[in-house]
Amino acid sequence: FNIELGLYMKLIYLIAGTYNSGGMERVLANKSNYLVSHGHEVIIVTTDQRGQQPFFPLDKRIACYDLGINYEENNGKSFFNKVIHYPFKQWRHRKNLSKLLKRLAADVVVSMFCNDASILPQITDGSKKVLEVHFSRFKRLQYGRKGLWKLADKWRNTNDIRVVSRFDRFVVLTQEDQTYWGNLPNIQVIPNARTFAFEKPVELTNKVVMAVGRYDYQKGFERLIDAWAKVCSKVDDWTLEIIGDGDLRPKMLQQIEEKGLSSRVILKKLPADRMKDAYTNASIFALSSRFEGLPMVLLEAQAAGIPIVSFACKCGPKDLVEEGVNGFLLEEGDMDGLAKRLICLMENDELRKKMGEAAYRNSEHYAEDAIMKQWLDLFQELSNKGTDK
């Protein structure tokens, strides 16, 4: 793809906001920066940016528009608050987005499966419409909510099939997740690319177990801390570093103190530009999530050559971790198993190195050029650019 061959693409991405530190925001920044560096035009349209700066750096050539819908104003409010306000916000969202897309006239518009997903296919701006999902088929049911919220989650889970079927292409991250969506004619698997590469695997000599993510229900860090208490009763000198931040930080600190782990668990907040260095300090990576899409942190750990101990949650770990080869997979929620596998790798330097080298080799499948070629091939196919019409 290059401008000399007449294959210039104008692409628009739709997302709630770019100010969060999540994997979806990181993936969008990486892809957008790659695309503009290869001669394409990229525009990001948000609904809830509210004047905040992107968490992950964006190339200055990327144009950003915010529609000012502010769905997140209603988060944390009652069920009836959302029922009252959501329809009007959707109406305003559709009106403003339609006007903007018709003016911008892109070749392809990509929804990141935010509040625009049910709106976008109805907009007749001449572009092809792509939906990419960064969570698993059953994420809505994994929140564990009760009452009316539970009924709403069930309805939305069922309605998701109708929503995704209306797009020109629906992209999921894993082979595992593709099976959960069923035999959809428009579905395609394109995994995330790794964020960075290492010239060689890290040494794996530091006695540090690393975990990364938002401090929220999804990531299950309270379960990792419980498992770590079991580890500390058997093994000395190793430290658990949980890198991230979020609403559950106070509860996690309280849990750490109550279990007497203050000297063995570190909660650390790091800027994005220091994350690569953080991996060089670790020897084992742990993932305790209840659900995922395709965890960027596992891709990054493998790029560094770090063996992984992970719950086999939906979705992602089973696509990335080969049991006993580049890490260990445990049944989701098996804290005893998680502790035992961590101890196994801590006490066996040779196994840790062998698994780390296998992880490093596996990460080549997720190199940026290889993954972005799949996206560019998709965009070319949909828009018929560079092909005989």
Side-chain angles (χ1 to χ4, degrees), residues 313-326:
C313 64
K314 298 181 177 70
C315 289
K318 282 184 272 191
D319 273 47
L320 292 172
V321 181
E322 187 176 354
E323 168 64 23
V325 177
N326 57 6

Side-chain angles (χ1 to χ4, degrees), residues 25-187:
E25 291 80 8
R26 179 179 295 185
V27 169
L28 176 58
N30 291 346
K31 284 197 288 195
S32 299
N33 290 336
Y34 182 96
L35 289 164
V36 295
S37 72
H38 286 72
H40 306 286
E41 183 177 356
V42 176
I43 299 165
I44 297 175
V45 179
T46 56
T47 58
D48 289 69
Q49 195 70 15
R50 292 171 292 179
Q52 300 174 85
Q53 291 298 310
F55 185 88
F56 300 101
L58 294 174
D59 190 293
K60 63 182 180 180
R61 291 169 289 185
I62 298 169
C64 296
Y65 295 84
D66 184 64
L67 299 176
I69 309 300
N70 298 332
Y71 288 101
E72 294 181 11
E73 288 178 341
N74 302 99
N75 287 353
K77 303 288 180 64
S78 70
F79 179 85
F80 294 104
N81 179 282
K82 286 207 171 186
V83 169
I84 292 169
H85 290 95
Y86 188 75
F88 173 71
K89 290 196 171 186
Q90 281 271 284
W91 174 82
R92 190 157 58 92
H93 187 179
R94 179 177 176 177
K95 178 183 176 183
N96 293 352
L97 181 61
S98 178
K99 182 178 179 180
L100 180 62
L101 293 185
K102 288 177 180 178
R103 177 165 66 86
L104 294 176
D107 295 301
V108 181
V109 180
V110 183
S111 166
M112 308 288 281
F113 217 138
C114 296
N115 287 299
D116 53 74
S118 61
I119 298 170
L120 183 58
Q122 304 169 37
I123 297 177
T124 56
D125 60 317
S127 69
K128 294 297 184 179
K129 309 298 193 301
V130 175
L131 179 66
E132 62 174 274
V133 61
H134 287 261
F135 50 83
S136 72
R137 169 73 181 94
F138 302 109
K139 178 191 175 182
R140 301 195 195 280
L141 303 182
Q142 294 167 319
Y143 287 124
R145 300 199 290 188
K146 307 295 183 184
L148 291 173
W149 289 112
K150 182 177 182 179
L151 293 175
D153 289 338
K154 284 186 175 181
W155 180 85
R156 294 180 73 194
N157 181 73
T158 301
N159 189 57
D160 281 343
I161 291 291
R162 184 182 66 85
V163 171
V164 305
S165 65
R166 296 164 61 201
F167 281 80
D168 295 300
R169 195 62 53 87
F170 172 47
V171 179
V172 298
L173 296 175
T174 65
Q175 298 292 335
E176 178 190 358
D177 198 34
Q178 183 182 28
T179 65
Y180 298 144
W181 286 97
N183 189 28
L184 298 175
N186 63 338
I187 198 168

